[in-house]
Amino acid sequence: MAITRKSLADFLIEKNFVTKEQLDEALKVQKQTKNPDLGQVLLDLGFVGEREVVHGRAHEQGIPFVDLDKIPPEPSAINVVPERLVKMHSVLPVKKEGTVLWLAMANTNNLAAIDDVRLASGCQVRTVMAVAGAIEDCIRKHYASSSGGAEEATEADAGGAGGSKMNTDMRALMAQAQVGRDALDKGVDSGQSDEEMAEQAPIIRLANAVIQKAIDDRASDIHAEPQERAVRVRYRIDGVLMEAMTVPKSLQAPLISRLKIMAEMNIAERRIPQDGRIEVRNQGKDFDLRVSSIPTPFGEKIVMRILDKGNAMVGLQKLGMLAQVQARIEELVSQPNGMFLCTGPTGSGKTTTQYSVLNKLNTMEVNIITVEDPIEYQLGGIAQVQVNRKAGLTFATGLRAFLRQDPDIILVGEMRDLETAEIAIEASLTGHLVLSTLHTNDAPSATIRMIDMGVEPYLISATVIGILAQRLGRKIDQDSKEPYGVKAIDLRRFGFPVTDPDEEITLYRGIPKESNRMTGYKGRTGFHELLVMNEEIAELVVRRAPLADIKAAAKANGMKELREDGLEKVLAGQTDPNEVMRVVFTAGF
């Protein structure tokens, strides 16, 4: 269902939804208010209704529009998606053609919703755009609230992240476990507790299958989330959570207890958060699972971070860095002293980058010591110290001890406070190379963050040699992709230099297939922003200059912003603009 793309303004004029005079007035107001959303400006002025704006946005994005007031959803489509999903994401299945399901959305960039519906329905999902209010009205009309049992949801959702054999196997395991649960409820084995049931073979196999399936699907995390009527199990694959299965509520207690037993956690304690660890061997490879539990109103939620021991030493060349960025990093970390920082949110790959740097620097001639919380991977030839706050071993106390261990290179897992930062700075000033991480949105912000922590600006300028900000985004499936054209002006927000507004650029997008879980994506790559300290930037830091001035000086010194790095990978056919938007863009861009 190909749609000819047109700008919102062109579409509204062509359909006579607005006059030329109204459009000119709206553009004038848009310029005055600096509102990037022309549709919202037209709505605020009362020139058009929401339906017309949504219809125009659909054409702008090349997506079909459906008027739900005139074309109701088909019952065959309604029946394949659980009520909880449509309500959670405010989406509506409207038509089913074979294995293709058409999904009405107000925001077609909601990839999590698309993934959840695809996994629950087993269909290829194609999106259409509709008015948000009309979607909500149809949900209320066509989905009657019910106490639909978890068993029904299990039939629809179990093993949704994988093939039919795993679906069957999961259902069989849950059915076997349910037999034991039913026997317990009926008093057949009245002396058996949930903990004792957790040691029974069906529950053990179910817990093992949940973990094995996650590893097979290349998941980085497993979420077991108690809900009111069931337990939702989701996997984070390529940075995005996808629903894998729904476990009946009656199996919640023994399943959670089994996972806690495997992680050597206190199964009798359900009121406070706990941490544990599971070691797993799957297909000849060793994996560590870092397990965390927290109490919720419906029971304990379990999250398991999956660490592949075999991927500890990735290497800078495999992180998706542009050649010039990698070369400058290698030059920076070859210096005998100074501080090199990695910044970004949780899950952006900071630790992997630092381990890759250590892998390059780890030779017989140097003494490397790390202090981490937690130690994610054991690195051969490197002394790694685990933070233990109960015993008084913090980042700061560990660092103090390190300075008496004759180190050449020190890795501090994270600079969380002034004390740790000051000792790290002292180490770098006395002839050591220090690697560490900070939580900031971009590279220039790291200098402001350190000043906010209480570090003197002159110490920052004297020790920091480089700051790398990064994000992880999904790559389009290189074995299943297709070209498409966009106007150059549409890439301007990424920093693309536009000389001809009518110029068309060829980009690539992934084709949804079973091999990529119908997402069009497979694997991840990094987006990077490297600030290299020079005299001009150092002087700005000392003067406590505004962030904008520091950023401008860094760009003049060769720094590519995260969005510009993302653009390079879009133009190279590695990813697409939607993915760069998802992981890079924040308020203010």
Side-chain angles (χ1 to χ4, degrees):
M1 193 180 296
I3 301 295
T4 303
R5 292 197 178 208
K6 296 175 182 176
S7 71
L8 176 63
D10 289 343
F11 175 82
L12 295 175
I13 288 289
E14 181 181 304
K15 294 293 184 180
N16 295 319
F17 289 151
V18 296
T19 65
K20 181 68 167 59
E21 292 73 19
Q22 288 175 325
L23 179 60
D24 290 341
E25 183 177 345
L27 291 171
K28 187 184 299 181
V29 171
Q30 182 185 29
K31 185 176 181 181
Q32 292 170 348
T33 60
K34 297 183 179 178
N35 187 340
D37 189 343
L38 176 60
Q40 189 60 51
V41 173
L42 289 163
L43 282 171
D44 292 342
L45 291 172
F47 292 161
V48 290
E50 185 179 7
R51 179 191 176 281
E52 288 75 20
V53 170
V54 174
H55 197 172
R57 285 173 175 159
H59 270 268
E60 199 168 40
Q61 297 178 32
I63 296 172
F65 170 79
V66 60
D67 187 346
L68 294 174
D69 293 333
K70 298 178 180 178
I71 306 175
E74 297 178 355
S76 60
I78 291 289
N79 292 336
V80 299
V81 182
E83 177 181 359
R84 58 184 175 75
L85 277 187
V86 298
K87 287 186 173 179
M88 179 172 67
H89 293 300
S90 294
V91 298
L92 183 74
V94 293
K95 187 175 183 179
K96 188 172 183 293
E97 298 175 327
T99 60
V100 175
L101 180 69
W102 293 93
L103 187 69
M105 309 175 69
N107 175 17
T108 55
N109 290 323
N110 187 346
L111 300 179
I114 296 171
D115 288 338
D116 283 353
V117 170
R118 176 185 57 78
L119 292 170
S121 66
C123 296
Q124 300 179 40
V125 175
R126 296 289 182 268
T127 59
V128 297
M129 194 172 285
V131 176
I135 292 175
E136 294 296 336
D137 289 343
C138 282
I139 290 175
R140 284 191 291 270
K141 180 178 179 181
H142 295 279
Y143 284 88
S145 295
S146 67
S147 58
E151 289 76 10
E152 295 177 9
T154 300
E155 277 298 306
D157 300 337
S164 58
K165 181 180 185 301
M166 179 56 73
N167 294 359
T168 304
D169 292 346
M170 284 292 188
R171 286 197 290 270
L173 287 172
M174 284 188 270
Q176 292 168 20
Q178 188 66 51
V179 170
R181 177 76 261 181
D182 291 343
L184 176 60
D185 290 340
K186 293 175 182 177
V188 175
D189 189 359
S190 59
Q192 188 181 43
S193 67
D194 285 326
E195 288 74 29
E196 289 169 327
M197 187 180 173
E199 297 288 358
Q200 290 188 349
I203 283 291
I204 291 174
R205 290 200 298 271
L206 177 60
N208 290 343
V210 168
I211 294 172
Q212 178 190 330
K213 180 60 178 169
I215 293 173
D216 291 344
D217 281 355
R218 300 181 298 104
S220 61
D221 302 85
I222 305 170
H223 291 239
E225 304 166 321
Q227 310 287 304
E228 186 175 3
R229 297 188 180 93
V231 180
R232 179 174 66 176
V233 178
R234 294 192 291 173
Y235 298 156
R236 188 176 294 279
I237 301 173
D238 292 336
V240 176
L241 280 171
M242 301 180 179
E243 186 157 328
M245 69 197 74
T246 303
V247 177
K249 188 71 173 179
S250 55
L251 297 181
Q252 174 179 314
L255 177 61
I256 297 298
S257 293
R258 178 59 197 167
L259 294 174
K260 291 175 70 176
I261 289 170
M262 295 172 71
E264 299 182 353
M265 297 160 69
N266 182 356
I267 59 175
E269 180 56 76
R270 300 183 177 91
R271 300 165 300 173
I272 61 174
Q274 293 189 65
D275 295 312
R277 179 176 177 180
I278 302 173
E279 292 188 356
V280 175
R281 187 167 182 81
N282 186 60
Q283 297 183 358
K285 299 178 68 176
D286 292 321
F287 296 85
D288 268 348
L289 276 66
R290 302 298 166 83
V291 186
S292 170
S293 73
I294 59 170
T296 76
F298 300 118
E300 289 179 281
K301 174 179 177 178
I302 300 285
V303 175
M304 294 174 276
R305 168 65 56 90
I306 302 173
L307 303 173
D308 182 354
K309 291 183 177 181
N311 285 340
M313 297 303 186
V314 175
L316 289 172
Q317 71 279 5
K318 295 181 181 180
L319 299 181
M321 292 180 179
L322 299 177
Q324 60 268 34
V325 172
Q326 180 182 334
R328 296 195 83 176
I329 289 176
E330 291 177 346
E331 180 183 346
L332 288 171
V333 299
S334 65
Q335 299 182 34
N337 61 276
M339 188 182 301
F340 179 73
L341 302 173
C342 282
T343 76
T346 300
S348 60
K350 300 187 298 294
T351 300
T352 300
T353 297
Q354 296 287 32
Y355 278 178
S356 298
V357 170
L358 288 183
N359 185 37
K360 175 177 175 58
L361 300 175
N362 188 15
T363 65
M364 186 64 69
E365 293 78 23
V366 296
N367 177 25
I368 302 176
I369 307 179
T370 76
V371 56
E372 305 172 61
D373 185 24
I375 297 173
E376 294 198 4
Y377 300 103
Q378 296 287 343
L379 307 177
I382 294 176
Q384 295 174 268
V385 176
Q386 169 71 55
V387 166
N388 186 341
R389 291 179 177 82
K390 291 182 180 178
L393 177 54
T394 64
F395 283 114
T397 55
L399 266 174
R400 284 198 185 93
F402 287 0
L403 297 179
R404 297 189 291 274
Q405 289 282 318
D406 186 32
D408 297 295
I409 300 167
I410 298 173
L411 168 67
V412 185
E414 183 181 346
M415 285 204 295
R416 298 181 178 179
D417 52 48
L418 176 59
E419 184 181 14
T420 304
E422 287 180 336
I423 301 171
I425 285 172
E426 179 186 341
S428 65
L429 286 172
T430 53
H432 306 89
L433 178 65
V434 178
L435 311 177
S436 192
T437 67
L438 275 175
H439 285 278
T440 62
N441 285 331
D442 57 27
S445 296
T447 60
I448 306 298
R449 170 74 179 119
M450 293 179 73
I451 292 174
D452 289 343
M453 290 168 60
V455 179
E456 290 294 335
Y458 73 90
L459 291 175
I460 300 172
S461 64
T463 56
V464 173
I465 56 177
I467 305 168
L468 179 72
Q470 62 183 74
R471 300 288 191 278
L472 289 176
R474 293 181 294 178
K475 295 191 296 185
I476 58 177
D477 190 342
Q478 298 300 302
D479 297 325
S480 178
K481 63 181 183 180
E482 62 182 2
Y484 70 103
V486 299
K487 287 189 175 181
I489 198 167
D490 292 338
L491 300 177
R492 188 166 51 188
R493 69 177 64 183
F494 299 97
F496 187 83
V498 178
T499 54
D500 178 5
D502 295 324
E503 179 186 3
E504 190 166 273
I505 307 296
T506 299
L507 304 181
Y508 289 86
R509 59 190 168 203
I511 301 173
K513 289 188 174 180
E514 287 296 333
S515 59
N516 57 45
R517 300 176 186 83
M518 305 307 297
T519 64
Y521 298 101
K522 197 170 187 178
R524 288 194 289 177
T525 188
F527 304 136
H528 303 92
E529 176 179 287
L530 178 63
L531 180 153
V532 178
M533 188 67 73
N534 63 6
E535 290 185 6
E536 181 184 1
I537 298 173
E539 181 183 347
L540 290 171
V541 172
V542 171
R543 289 198 287 108
R544 299 177 185 259
L547 177 61
D549 292 351
I550 297 174
K551 181 178 290 188
K555 292 193 69 173
N557 192 39
M559 182 187 83
K560 281 184 178 290
E561 294 182 68
L562 285 165
R563 56 178 178 166
E564 294 172 324
D565 188 272
L567 175 64
E568 293 270 0
K569 282 146 191 173
V570 167
L571 296 176
Q574 297 176 23
T575 188
D576 59 36
N578 289 338
E579 191 64 9
V580 179
M581 287 281 291
R582 184 180 72 86
V583 301
V584 168
F585 276 66
T586 57
F589 274 96

